[in-house]
Amino acid sequence: MSSTFPHSPQPTADALARRVSRLHNQARLAPSEIAIGVVIGRASEYFDFFVFGIACVLVFPSVFFPFVSQLDGMLLSFALFALAFVARPIGTGLFMAVQRRWSRGTKLTAALFLLGTATVGMAFLPDYGSIGSWAIGSLTFFRFLQGIAMGGSWDGLPSLLAMNTPPERRGWYAMLGQLGAPIGFLIASGLFLFLHSNLSHEDFIDWGWRYPFFVAFAINVVALFARLRLVVTHEYTKAMEERELEPVGVVKLVRTQGYNLFLGAFAALASYALFHLVTVFPLSWIVLGKTQSINSVLVVQIIGAVVGILATIASGFVADRIGRRRTLGLLAVLIGIFSLFAPWLLGGSRSGQDAFILVGFALLGLSYGQAAGSVTANFETRFRYTGAALTSDLAWLIGAAFAPLVALSLSYRFGLGAVSLYLLSGAACTLVALRVNRSLEVRD
């Protein structure tokens, strides 16, 4: 995200004082310090979501949907998986109102407490055999609360980070917040691998799967304090106010800046479309096909997460060299090419499936590393705080929410060519949105 501020040709004494104060505050709020809060916060949120996503494949079909086939159980689980992304924009609007009424610290504390409580609540749920449909209803309720909380957890740190970095390093600092995704997936996959490989199948289904959901609450507590250490400080609050990073009404934002919301969401759609197709979907496809063991897939996905971390870091260097939007456009083309090989790789031998995961993570890291805020600079300054949050919500909803459900359903009915079409559509949307954005800039 970039920002420009008008400079008066003859600044007044008050204006000079404000600039001196801003420089003082920025010196105390070092980008590296903000970045630590961003990475910790995002990693905790993604961990919660990936724990649920992996459980949709390994646990929920047996625990909550034993009355249908394994395939249908996964599809029903993926429907619940998508529910949280539907709830995210609702949570964003709700908690923006909470911040306007009370404070940013109150909003963040309430959102992360709700996220941790909803996640750990799933660990206490009885199975379908004990309470019947009440188990499914409770899981649905907690999943919806997860989405509400995720929407409310926006703290503005990525926006502040982008505005406190040199223009020539914005690609580097933009990718730091995105590191939370592969880190969260790495921890979630590692936990499930440890439990699944050290417990019998009966113990894993009975109680072992619940442990990652307990861990989520502890991780959220650590993340909360790490972020509050910044958010409630006088320096942070003043810096946010000077940058006009304050919440505005969602209705007002949609009325005046709605086109920027959709443009921002579609500009990174290739990244979001790829996101769950290399994390959650391959696990479901391979488990159903029984082409390799669950532990083997989890090991490859852990390696893939490491590849994703390295690729995300590399995206910072690439973006600072050729530009963030050009990076997104180039990766959209590469994702489109990769999609053509998806059926051959994922539907082939074990080595082909592993290659799909590893290459997919590499492309995901390079693209997703620059997906946040790539065009949100189009928002007027006073709309950027809420605009960045809602843009992310819409990108997740349109590009990633239903990806595992749609890909698994269509692939089993029509073949893995459905995965290719899904990724191609995301790549095409990204290229069109970036083109439209460039045309608007030229026109302005």
Side-chain angles (χ1 to χ4, degrees):
M1 182 183 298
S2 61
S3 179
T4 56
F5 296 89
H7 296 273
S8 172
Q10 293 183 337
T12 63
D14 288 342
L16 288 173
R18 285 195 298 271
R19 291 176 190 173
V20 171
S21 176
R22 183 183 299 120
L23 290 173
H24 172 69
N25 284 319
Q26 290 178 8
R28 298 182 64 179
L29 279 177
S32 58
E33 185 176 2
I34 303 173
I36 292 173
V38 173
V39 173
I40 293 175
R42 295 299 174 268
S44 69
E45 295 164 1
Y46 284 116
F47 173 81
D48 286 28
F49 268 52
F50 280 127
V51 163
F52 191 97
I54 296 173
C56 284
V57 177
L58 303 184
V59 179
F60 294 160
S62 299
V63 175
F64 296 104
F65 304 105
F67 52 89
V68 296
S69 67
Q70 187 181 26
L71 170 61
D72 290 336
M74 287 186 189
L75 293 175
L76 290 171
S77 299
F78 284 152
L80 295 185
F81 180 76
L83 180 63
F85 297 97
V86 176
R88 277 186 66 161
I90 301 173
T92 296
L94 175 64
F95 278 93
M96 288 293 178
V98 170
Q99 181 176 335
R100 291 196 301 272
R101 176 65 177 82
W102 286 283
S103 68
R104 185 176 290 104
T106 300
K107 180 192 82 166
L108 186 60
T109 301
L112 288 185
F113 181 78
L114 179 61
L115 180 60
T117 301
T119 304
V120 79
M122 297 175 187
F124 290 101
L125 289 178
D127 60 19
Y128 181 85
S130 300
I131 59 175
S133 59
W134 284 101
I136 300 174
S138 300
L139 182 64
T140 302
F141 174 71
F142 282 129
R143 182 58 177 169
F144 186 80
L145 290 183
Q146 270 192 327
I148 293 289
M150 188 73 167
S153 64
W154 174 251
D155 51 21
L157 283 173
S159 298
L160 184 61
L161 177 62
M163 292 182 174
N164 279 268
T165 56
E168 68 276 6
R169 298 297 307 281
R170 283 185 179 139
W172 171 259
Y173 283 101
M175 70 83 186
L176 291 175
Q178 307 300 80
L179 278 173
I183 291 174
F185 184 76
L186 176 66
I187 299 172
S189 298
L191 265 177
F192 271 104
L193 175 62
F194 175 80
L195 294 167
H196 192 269
S197 60
N198 286 280
L199 297 175
S200 66
H201 177 73
E202 291 72 21
D203 286 341
F204 178 77
I205 293 298
D206 183 33
W207 58 268
W209 68 269
R210 302 175 188 272
Y211 182 71
F213 289 83
F214 287 122
V215 172
F217 188 83
I219 291 178
N220 277 322
V221 170
V222 173
L224 174 62
F225 282 104
R227 293 161 79 175
L228 284 179
R229 191 175 68 86
L230 287 174
V231 169
V232 300
T233 61
H234 172 72
E235 291 80 17
Y236 174 89
T237 301
K238 192 168 184 179
M240 294 289 281
E241 290 174 351
E242 288 175 344
R243 296 296 196 183
E244 297 185 54
L245 293 176
E246 295 295 330
V248 297
V250 173
V251 174
K252 184 177 182 180
L253 172 68
V254 173
R255 284 178 179 173
T256 59
Q257 302 278 290
Y259 59 93
N260 278 332
L261 279 176
F262 288 97
L263 189 62
F266 281 99
L269 207 61
S271 302
Y272 289 94
L274 182 62
F275 200 94
H276 289 143
L277 292 185
V278 299
T279 54
V280 179
F281 171 70
L283 182 62
S284 66
W285 180 263
I286 295 172
V287 167
L288 286 171
K290 296 180 172 58
T291 51
Q292 54 180 297
S293 69
I294 292 173
N295 291 343
S296 298
V297 183
L298 289 174
V299 168
V300 174
Q301 291 199 305
I302 289 172
I303 297 173
V306 175
V307 172
I309 291 172
L310 297 176
T312 302
I313 294 172
S315 76
F317 293 103
V318 175
D320 284 335
R321 190 172 185 85
I322 67 173
R324 296 178 63 193
R325 296 176 195 176
R326 187 174 295 176
T327 300
L328 279 180
L330 173 62
L331 265 299
V333 173
L334 293 178
I335 290 172
I337 296 173
F338 171 71
S339 70
L340 301 177
F341 295 90
W344 176 67
L345 293 173
L346 199 54
S349 64
R350 174 176 175 174
S351 59
Q353 293 171 342
D354 294 347
F356 175 86
I357 295 172
L358 297 177
V359 175
F361 264 106
L363 292 174
L364 177 63
L366 288 169
S367 59
Y368 186 70
Q370 300 301 316
S374 56
V375 298
T376 49
N378 293 346
F379 287 104
E380 295 178 22
T381 304
R382 62 195 179 101
F383 289 116
R384 286 185 185 175
Y385 181 82
T386 305
L390 279 178
T391 296
S392 177
D393 292 344
L394 288 176
W396 280 112
L397 177 59
I398 299 170
F402 298 94
L405 176 63
V406 172
L408 185 60
S409 177
L410 294 181
S411 294
Y412 255 80
R413 177 170 296 185
F414 303 109
L416 285 168
V419 176
S420 297
L421 292 176
Y422 198 96
L423 287 175
L424 280 172
S425 65
C429 287
T430 289
L431 293 173
V432 170
L434 291 174
R435 177 65 179 176
V436 171
N437 183 71
R438 182 180 177 183
S439 299
L440 290 175
E441 285 189 338
V442 171
R443 186 191 66 185
D444 294 340

